Amino acid sequence: MKKFKQLAWLFAVVAFGLFGQQSCKPKGGSSGVGADAAAKAYVAPGTYDEFYNFVSGGFSGQMSVYGLPSGRLFRVIPVFSVDAEKGWGYSEESKPMLNTSHGFVPWDDLHHVALSVTKGEHDGRWAFGNANNTPRIARVDLQTFRTAEIIEIPNSAGNHSSPFITENSEYVVAGTRFSVPIGDNTDVPINTYKENFKGTVSFIGVDPTSGEMNLSFQILAPGINFDLARAGKGKSAGWFFFSCYNSEKANTLLEVNASQKDKDFIMAVNWKKAEEYAKAGKGMKKKVRYAHNKFNESTHTATSVIKEEVLVLDPKDCPDMVYFMPCPKSPHGCDTDPTGEYIVGSGKLAAVIPVFSFTKIQEAIAAKNFDGEYDGIPVLKYDAVLHGEVQKPGLGPLHTEFDGKGNAYTSFFVSSEIVKWNIQELKVLDRVPTYYSIGHLCVPGGPTSKPHGKYVVAYNKITKDRYLPTGPELTQSAQIYDISGEKMKLILDFPTIGEPHYAEAIPASLVMPKSKKIYKLEENKHPYAALGEGKAKVERKGKEVHVYMSSIRSHFTPDNIEGVKLGDVVYFHVTNLEQDWDVPHGFAVKGANNAELLILPGETQTLVWKPEKTGVYPMYCTDFCSALHQEMQGYIRVSPAGSNVPLTFSTGTNLPTDNK
């Protein structure tokens, strides 16, 4: 009962603070909009946006791409969830991308994105995304805007604290959200959490040329929950900082039981030292199972392999590798400023924003200025590593980004606002309301050593009264604020696919020139490609019928097929012969119980169909391609299992009528 009283007291404090801070908040749907908002957000028809904005899709499992400042949706990139629009997870070529050690998993929860960097600056090569439910990291190729690789993470549960990336994209790093029993004995009582549950942080190496990922090593951690993280940069390059909560090691009713202590932690990891330990053989190789899936751009086909070993480093065997810094209270955000000197913690239940100094951290480590240990890991004294605290900034701080001019921007969930403050002086400079309940925010280049400033984008959880109603559930939203002057000005809000968590924005000039327009037919190495209408054919291999089909405006070759029998499995291998930008073709057949194909110019994709009844079935192009799109169709005849109808195919020539 005492704990519930404490929680009630906390909510009362929050409510009082909300009343005090929000009583003067502008009312009405257009409150806070600048007089020149339309001009600042307007991108004329036929002209380009200044930035690409890569936004996580949360429970959709996908990643979406918007233009800034227009807020126009350009593309939804399928990543962890099947997508019928693009045939993702339905075509035979893409199915292996959703394979895991648990089998085919058609959904996940993508919370965060990270764009590749060189010398701390965005380089426009890759976007990474995390799967929170079945722990995985994906890499999206920014030439094709397609998921190129997915690697599963063993010894992890709830991959929320990811994907965060080191200064030169050496590693993508992931921390487990849920600590769980790991190792040989995982069947233990839940109430033995404090004795048997452990966390991990995983370092996934990234090949500097191809981008291919490899699980390099893991660091064993106490049984706490990891929330967010940032790599050091500049003077703090070689270090990583993770926000941690539930230092109480609670396993039930966490809203009360994991909020008892005045401070939780930011975990500081010397990843360069960890890398040295790994290379020196200090870790233990553990038996695990995890999937590694890759999409081959030459064969247009994904492959999946199961790996069975991971290297685990234990801090007790690796001194000077891991340290804890106290941070109030239940921290969410953990962000490093462009110089790498300052690390900002955001305690969700704290009344201040603590800012830590990397220089002071190093001095405290050298002087062994510790405040005891936590599970054998040294805890640095709070005052020894603190640059200072931002006083009374708002309620519910979550996440901070930077404009490169010495200023920070922090989102406040409870008080629904963005607060601008000076990093050196720790003074609040400005605040603007958001509509409503902001989670993360994004400044273009904000997590890098070279922010582009100009805008800050709020990603909001609640939109009641902002848009036309759509029943009990409303859209999530983003709001763009101009930050080019001293004061922030709201210039636009726009709906987003659900649910936006974090996003990164990058100048279009870094991505647009590299964008791939077609797949060259001469480079198509798909084993079933029909590289020309004369190469189209239909072959029987036992109970399998393989259709080598070509598509071009506005017909398929072949478009009439007979001789398929009940019990057969038909593989439609469709090659798009177009060599013109933005001319994809689709393919579907009546009765198929998966989805359509989307075949990009020069590409080959495969749809599998097992007919269940005899008859003549239409097949057609599903993606509008020309004025005669409706005429782009064909028929496939299915006969009884014992039929003697020969396997034949044609385009433009009727078969003999006695083909019975």
Side-chain angles (χ1 to χ4, degrees):
M1 181 61 70
K2 181 179 178 182
K3 291 179 180 177
F4 284 102
K5 287 181 178 178
Q6 290 173 335
L7 187 62
W9 173 83
L10 174 64
F11 284 145
V13 170
V14 169
F16 178 79
L18 266 175
F19 177 79
Q21 291 199 29
Q22 299 293 92
S23 58
C24 296
K25 184 174 178 177
K27 297 179 180 179
S30 61
S31 298
V33 179
D36 57 350
K40 287 184 176 290
Y42 181 67
V43 177
T47 59
Y48 295 126
D49 279 276
E50 185 177 357
F51 296 98
Y52 285 99
N53 190 28
F54 293 87
V55 184
S56 66
F59 46 70
S60 77
Q62 317 296 37
M63 189 184 298
S64 53
V65 186
Y66 298 83
L68 296 181
S70 74
R72 298 180 293 195
L73 175 62
F74 296 148
R75 184 170 180 81
V76 176
I77 303 171
V79 184
F80 296 115
S81 297
V82 294
D83 185 334
E85 179 191 10
K86 302 173 185 68
W88 184 254
Y90 294 108
S91 71
E92 294 305 291
E93 287 79 4
S94 64
K95 284 179 181 178
M97 293 299 288
L98 301 182
N99 189 44
T100 74
S101 61
H102 308 280
F104 181 84
V105 177
W107 167 86
D108 219 298
D109 190 10
L110 197 162
H111 275 222
H112 307 125
V113 300
L115 302 182
S116 57
V117 288
T118 301
K119 296 182 179 178
E121 299 180 23
H122 283 153
D123 56 32
R125 292 181 293 168
W126 309 301
F128 298 90
N130 67 335
N132 190 31
N133 185 63
T134 303
R136 287 169 284 175
I137 297 294
R139 176 174 60 88
V140 174
D141 187 336
L142 295 187
Q143 289 188 74
T144 60
F145 283 62
R146 177 153 62 187
T147 302
E149 186 176 14
I150 295 177
I151 189 168
E152 190 179 1
I153 304 175
N155 293 332
S156 180
N159 178 39
H160 184 264
S161 182
S162 65
F164 302 105
I165 195 162
T166 53
E167 190 176 42
N168 287 290
S169 304
E170 300 97 335
Y171 294 99
V172 174
V173 182
T176 186
R177 174 179 175 180
F178 307 107
S179 288
V180 292
I182 59 176
D184 298 329
N185 183 21
T186 57
D187 180 19
V188 299
I190 297 172
N191 63 11
T192 64
Y193 185 109
K194 293 182 179 180
E195 295 78 29
N196 291 316
F197 287 48
K198 293 290 184 181
T200 58
V201 293
S202 303
F203 283 75
I204 300 165
V206 180
D207 184 274
T209 302
S210 68
E212 184 172 328
M213 299 185 292
N214 179 62
L215 181 52
S216 300
F217 58 88
Q218 295 181 318
I219 296 176
L220 192 66
I224 52 181
N225 299 56
F226 292 98
D227 203 333
L228 297 176
R230 282 288 185 220
K233 59 177 79 78
K235 61 173 59 181
S236 58
W239 285 75
F240 228 102
F241 305 95
F242 300 82
S243 61
C244 319
Y245 64 102
N246 194 23
S247 57
E248 297 85 352
K249 295 186 179 178
N251 62 276
T252 184
L253 201 64
L254 262 64
E255 62 181 310
V256 174
N257 293 321
S259 303
Q260 297 300 302
K261 292 184 178 180
D262 181 58
K263 291 182 176 66
D264 287 285
F265 297 118
I266 287 177
M267 187 172 81
V269 175
N270 185 336
W271 68 259
K272 282 288 190 181
K273 177 99 39 195
E275 187 179 58
E276 292 173 6
Y277 281 131
K279 290 178 179 177
K282 290 289 185 180
M284 294 288 292
K285 291 183 178 179
K286 300 291 185 180
K287 186 79 171 176
V288 293
R289 279 177 56 82
Y290 66 97
H292 190 181
N293 312 328
K294 292 183 282 187
F295 197 92
N296 187 306
E297 287 293 318
S298 296
T299 63
H300 310 162
T301 302
T303 56
S304 177
V305 298
I306 295 293
K307 297 188 175 182
E308 298 185 334
E309 190 175 75
V310 65
L311 182 69
V312 179
L313 301 175
D314 192 329
K316 73 175 185 293
D317 302 322
C318 303
D320 305 321
M321 183 176 70
V322 180
Y323 300 90
F324 281 123
M325 302 187 299
C327 182
K329 177 173 183 186
S330 296
H332 181 67
C334 177
D335 300 283
T336 56
D337 86 309
T339 70
E341 169 62 19
Y342 299 110
I343 301 98
V344 179
S346 296
K348 298 189 296 290
L349 303 179
V352 298
I353 298 176
V355 181
F356 302 95
S357 161
F358 181 74
T359 299
K360 289 186 175 183
I361 292 169
Q362 297 308 297
E363 291 172 351
I365 291 172
K368 298 188 182 300
N369 199 349
F370 302 147
D371 191 10
E373 294 182 343
Y374 181 85
D375 276 25
I377 296 174
V379 178
L380 301 170
K381 287 187 176 179
Y382 182 69
D383 291 338
V385 296
L386 189 69
H387 167 61
E389 296 174 338
V390 182
Q391 298 294 321
K392 298 181 180 179
L395 294 172
L398 292 185
H399 170 227
T400 300
E401 292 209 345
F402 310 90
D403 62 8
K405 302 174 184 177
N407 302 313
Y409 300 78
T410 300
S411 58
F412 288 81
F413 178 80
V414 178
S415 51
S416 288
E417 59 184 335
I418 297 174
V419 174
K420 175 183 178 181
W421 50 278
N422 181 270
I423 304 168
Q424 189 64 40
E425 298 179 359
L426 305 172
K427 291 182 179 179
V428 172
L429 303 176
D430 190 23
R431 63 178 73 239
V432 291
T434 60
Y435 306 97
Y436 304 96
S437 298
I438 182 176
H440 284 276
L441 49 71
C442 165
V443 174
T448 74
S449 60
K450 186 182 177 182
H452 305 288
K454 197 164 187 179
Y455 307 109
V456 61
V457 186
Y459 301 95
N460 303 328
K461 306 302 182 186
I462 298 172
T463 58
K464 60 180 65 176
D465 78 24
R466 297 298 288 179
Y467 303 107
L468 291 172
T470 52
E473 185 187 18
L474 303 180
T475 183
Q476 286 82 28
S477 75
Q479 293 183 301
I480 306 174
Y481 297 80
D482 176 16
I483 59 172
S484 58
E486 291 185 7
K487 298 293 184 180
M488 295 177 280
K489 296 180 181 179
L490 176 62
I491 61 173
L492 181 71
D493 58 5
F494 59 93
T496 61
I497 68 164
E499 174 194 4
H501 284 267
Y502 180 57
E504 289 193 19
I506 183 172
S509 59
L510 292 177
V511 177
M512 185 176 168
K514 306 173 187 176
S515 187
K516 194 180 189 76
K517 291 180 170 60
I518 63 169
Y519 291 94
K520 295 180 180 179
L521 283 171
E522 61 268 26
E523 296 176 358
N524 184 334
K525 305 302 179 185
H526 194 290
Y528 291 96
L531 301 179
E533 293 192 5
K535 302 293 185 180
K537 59 183 178 180
V538 180
E539 291 183 343
R540 176 177 289 280
K541 297 180 180 179
K543 291 288 187 179
E544 295 181 356
V545 174
H546 290 267
V547 181
Y548 296 68
M549 179 179 285
S550 67
S551 61
I552 196 166
R553 288 167 288 187
S554 290
H555 63 275
F556 295 111
T557 302
D559 65 2
N560 279 212
I561 302 170
E562 301 192 26
V564 173
K565 302 174 184 179
L566 281 182
D568 287 344
V569 179
V570 184
Y571 292 80
F572 294 97
H573 310 288
V574 187
T575 300
N576 183 346
L577 298 181
E578 308 285 356
Q579 292 290 268
D580 190 6
W581 190 22
D582 196 27
V583 187
H585 288 294
F587 178 82
V589 60
K590 179 185 176 183
N593 60 4
N594 45 13
E596 64 149 1
L597 295 177
L598 180 70
I599 314 108
L600 303 179
E603 186 181 41
T604 302
Q605 292 286 283
T606 302
L607 183 77
V608 171
W609 176 52
K610 186 174 183 179
E612 297 181 350
K613 294 187 295 184
T614 61
V616 175
Y617 292 83
M619 53 191 181
Y620 66 104
C621 177
T622 56
D623 195 290
F624 190 91
C625 56
S626 71
L628 297 177
H629 167 71
Q630 285 293 99
E631 285 74 15
M632 192 168 178
Q633 66 176 57
Y635 293 100
I636 181 167
R637 176 186 173 189
V638 178
S639 300
S643 168
N644 60 2
V645 176
L647 188 64
T648 57
F649 59 94
S650 64
T651 302
T653 302
N654 280 322
L655 297 172
T657 57
D658 60 352
N659 188 16
K660 298 178 181 179

